[in-house]
Amino acid sequence: MGKLAVIGLFLLFSQTLFAQQRPSMDPAETAKEQASRMKSALQLSDEQTAKVEELNLKYMNKMKEHRASSGEDRSKMRQQMQVMQGEKESELKSILNEEQWQVYQSKKDELGKGERNGGGKGRSKGKSSQ
């Protein structure tokens, strides 16, 4: 079960990265896919899944607006994205129960360590051609 949760959360985070590279992908469809993966990984109820889907769509649209308004200023965009991620997590915490939040936090932290230890370098190289 733990491995499945890790895989589900990994897919959630990787989907966010791929969504940034595929601007033609429908944000509503992406938000629904992310919510579905979170439903499996965190054992969300149907009501929670619907709320998570709305939350995902809300922040996808906000991030899209900020990417457009930031232009080529990557540091500004990164700062805005971090602030929005914090806001999103705050709202997500109000949707999840304590156990779900703990699972989300523990899996998110495990995945984040890989990015901070060099995982992001390859990504930025691939994006530099955009």
Side-chain angles (χ1 to χ4, degrees):
M1 176 62 192
K3 288 182 181 181
L4 183 60
V6 171
I7 291 169
L9 286 171
F10 176 75
L11 290 173
L12 169 70
F13 291 113
S14 64
Q15 180 63 31
T16 301
L17 295 174
F18 288 122
Q20 292 175 2
Q21 295 176 2
R22 295 182 297 186
S24 63
M25 188 163 187
D26 178 35
E29 182 181 321
T30 304
K32 186 172 188 154
E33 288 174 9
Q34 287 179 348
S36 177
R37 283 191 297 278
M38 288 180 75
K39 179 178 185 170
S40 296
L42 301 175
Q43 299 179 346
L44 302 179
S45 68
D46 290 341
E47 182 181 345
Q48 286 174 309
T49 304
K51 289 179 180 180
V52 167
E53 184 178 339
E54 284 179 41
L55 182 68
N56 288 341
L57 183 57
K58 173 184 169 180
Y59 280 93
M60 284 179 158
N61 289 329
K62 279 182 134 182
M63 288 183 186
K64 183 178 179 180
E65 289 172 19
H66 282 289
R67 273 194 301 273
S69 67
S70 296
E72 295 296 319
D73 188 349
R74 287 193 173 272
S75 66
K76 178 182 176 186
M77 182 174 62
R78 189 176 306 115
Q79 289 172 345
Q80 290 173 336
M81 296 291 184
Q82 287 173 345
V83 168
M84 282 190 287
Q85 184 63 30
E87 292 171 357
K88 180 180 177 183
E89 286 190 354
S90 177
E91 290 184 49
L92 180 62
K93 187 174 183 178
S94 71
I95 296 170
L96 304 179
N97 65 36
E98 187 61 33
E99 182 181 334
Q100 292 166 329
W101 178 250
Q102 292 301 321
V103 171
Y104 172 80
Q105 285 295 107
S106 68
K107 303 307 178 192
K108 183 188 80 152
D109 289 344
E110 288 175 23
L111 295 171
K113 287 178 185 172
E115 287 185 14
R116 285 190 298 270
N117 291 328
K121 290 180 183 175
R123 242 184 328 154
S124 60
K125 284 181 185 174
K127 288 183 152 189
S128 64
S129 62
Q130 289 183 352

